[in-house]
Amino acid sequence: MPELLRQRVETCYQQAETFFKRPFPRPQVSFKLRGQKAGVAHLHENLLRFNLQLYRENAEDFLRQTVAHEVAHLVAHQLFGERIQAHGEEWQLIMRGVYELPPNRCHNYEVQRRVATRYIYRCPCPESDFPFTAQRHKLVRQGRRYLCRRCREILVYSGETRVE
């Protein structure tokens, strides 16, 4: 399945080379992206990362839109340099002019959200619940301290958890 994705990356590069009449170095392609993002372009590493789960669930649109979206980031960076905005006019030019696609910033794929445990911290303020992530809770257990912005007291773990 990733082979179709790799072929689409190559097709996008060939379209850009024809349009701009210049070669572009091919990126490394990784399929180790997880979570809510469909794709990510790492400009300085010339690396594209794609979410295989979202690709499997949305193959047609993913190949057409998402792959072109991420390739356009790398092409824009190589053409226009560091100081352009990620979804600015240069990137939009490539999406419209080269790929003839709408310059949509975000996908609208259905994403399964993870269930997350929150650790409830409190201070003396009334109705003060501070839900901490597992990572932040671990930092507290290792000695880090967090203060309430209102009363400036140290937040203390209540012993309660909440699943979100």
Side-chain angles (χ1 to χ4, degrees):
M1 196 178 317
E3 195 49 43
L4 278 176
L5 219 149
R6 289 182 198 278
Q7 288 173 4
R8 175 65 173 145
V9 169
E10 179 59 29
T11 300
C12 287
Y13 269 95
Q14 289 174 3
Q15 286 178 272
E17 288 175 339
T18 300
F19 188 90
F20 291 109
K21 297 179 177 35
R22 63 158 275 191
F24 293 98
R26 298 308 191 260
Q28 180 182 348
V29 178
S30 165
F31 304 106
K32 295 183 179 178
L33 185 61
R34 299 173 76 182
Q36 296 185 345
K37 292 182 179 179
V40 175
H42 296 273
L43 306 177
H44 298 290
E45 293 89 3
N46 198 27
L47 167 67
L48 294 174
R49 291 173 55 217
F50 293 107
N51 184 323
L52 270 183
Q53 183 65 37
L54 291 180
Y55 169 56
R56 284 187 202 105
E57 295 169 0
N58 308 279
E60 186 179 327
D61 187 71
F62 198 102
L63 288 171
R64 187 175 52 78
Q65 184 75 28
T66 301
V67 173
H69 175 121
E70 300 307 332
V71 169
H73 281 303
L74 293 181
V75 170
H77 176 75
Q78 291 164 11
L79 281 171
F80 303 107
E82 305 266 327
R83 299 189 179 268
I84 62 171
Q85 291 184 342
H87 297 105
E89 59 186 85
E90 298 86 355
W91 175 82
Q92 290 180 34
L93 161 90
I94 294 165
M95 287 298 290
R96 285 191 186 104
V98 177
Y99 304 123
E100 298 177 353
L101 291 169
N104 299 335
R105 291 188 59 221
C106 302
H107 68 77
N108 57 2
Y109 305 143
E110 196 69 34
V111 177
Q112 291 288 336
R113 293 190 62 91
R114 279 193 325 214
V115 173
T117 300
R118 300 293 181 212
Y119 299 83
I120 308 303
Y121 281 72
R122 294 201 172 97
C123 71
C125 295
E127 299 179 31
S128 67
D129 273 12
F130 296 90
F132 279 24
T133 63
Q135 184 176 8
R136 184 166 282 186
H137 178 64
K138 181 181 176 185
L139 290 172
V140 171
R141 289 178 28 219
Q142 293 172 349
R144 178 153 317 161
R145 300 284 179 234
Y146 293 91
L147 303 178
C148 172
R149 289 185 177 162
R150 280 181 273 159
C151 69
R152 307 300 295 163
E153 292 288 325
I154 294 173
L155 299 179
V156 179
Y157 179 49
S158 67
E160 298 173 33
T161 59
R162 179 171 71 217
V163 177
E164 296 179 346

